[in-house]
Amino acid sequence: MTREEIIMQVSEKLRLIRTEAGYTQDKMADIIGVSKKTLVQIEKGRVLANWSTVVAICALFRETETVQFLFGNEPLEVLETVAREGIDYRRTKTMGGRLWWKAISKKNGFILQQNILSKHFRILDAGNYRIYSSFDEKMTKQRFKELTKSEE
């Protein structure tokens, strides 16, 4: 998933996200920091939202079914992974991937997972802390190999 794909998907679903949240166009524009005119243009498909607007929408409306359907239960992780082109540091504790995640490999207390919606990869430690995340399968598998080898 690329930045452009995320922008396109969120722009296409903006009206649905707003409707699901129960906001008028005026209120939604105010919440996400754009003019009502810009919001209307995005909702009508005449322009795309910019990256900052997409990040605001996903952050502020991450609990909506529409955003969850686009990115799984952790839309901010998807955005962060795309923005940073992969992340490699201890982050917040996860739920361990009970929903939205497919286990690819488990070894030495680490688990390599792939999100079933966004298709990005992550590595969790034994405490379910996300320590690596990327859309690059080869890099993720290499990092998993490095992490599991160092634990042997």
Side-chain angles (χ1 to χ4, degrees), residues 65-76:
E65 287 183 28
T66 304
V67 172
Q68 296 262 317
F69 180 74
L70 289 173
F71 305 110
N73 66 324
E74 297 186 42
L76 299 182

Side-chain angles (χ1 to χ4, degrees), residues 10 13-25 27-33 39 53-76 79:
V10 172
K13 300 291 185 190
L14 182 55
R15 182 188 313 247
L16 187 58
I17 293 166
R18 175 180 62 78
T19 304
E20 184 182 342
Y23 289 119
T24 64
Q25 287 178 328
K27 184 65 177 173
M28 184 70 160
D30 184 53
I31 290 169
I32 63 174
L39 179 77
T53 301
V54 167
V55 170
I57 292 164
C58 291
L60 296 170
F61 299 94
R62 64 187 172 275
E63 301 298 327
T64 64
E65 287 183 28
T66 304
V67 172
Q68 296 262 317
F69 180 74
L70 289 173
F71 305 110
N73 66 324
E74 297 186 42
L76 299 182
L79 296 178

Side-chain angles (χ1 to χ4, degrees), residues 3 5 32 57-58 62 78 82 87 92 99 101 103 110 122 127-128 140 143 146-147:
R3 189 180 289 225
E5 290 169 335
I32 63 174
I57 292 164
C58 291
R62 64 187 172 275
V78 174
V82 168
I87 53 176
T92 57
L99 289 172
W101 296 92
F110 292 96
R122 73 180 183 182
N128 288 328
T140 305
R143 185 69 181 125
E146 291 167 1
L147 287 166

Side-chain angles (χ1 to χ4, degrees), residues 17-122:
I17 293 166
R18 175 180 62 78
T19 304
E20 184 182 342
Y23 289 119
T24 64
Q25 287 178 328
D26 286 320
K27 184 65 177 173
M28 184 70 160
D30 184 53
I31 290 169
I32 63 174
V34 300
S35 68
K36 180 181 176 184
K37 180 180 176 182
T38 299
L39 179 77
V40 170
Q41 296 290 340
I42 297 167
E43 285 189 354
K44 289 187 174 186
R46 294 184 182 144
V47 298
L48 294 174
N50 63 36
W51 180 248
S52 298
T53 301
V54 167
V55 170
I57 292 164
C58 291
L60 296 170
F61 299 94
R62 64 187 172 275
E63 301 298 327
T64 64
E65 287 183 28
T66 304
V67 172
Q68 296 262 317
F69 180 74
L70 289 173
F71 305 110
N73 66 324
E74 297 186 42
L76 299 182
E77 179 182 333
V78 174
L79 296 178
E80 184 177 35
T81 300
V82 168
R84 295 177 188 243
E85 298 177 353
I87 53 176
D88 190 4
Y89 55 90
R90 185 172 297 274
R91 292 280 303 155
T92 57
K93 187 170 178 70
T94 70
M95 305 254 309
R98 286 181 247 160
L99 289 172
W100 313 108
W101 296 92
K102 174 177 71 172
I104 304 294
S105 186
K106 294 179 183 182
K107 187 174 180 184
N108 296 338
F110 292 96
I111 182 168
L112 169 61
Q113 299 176 321
Q114 184 177 28
N115 187 284
I116 62 174
L117 295 176
S118 69
K119 303 298 182 198
H120 80 284
F121 298 89
R122 73 180 183 182

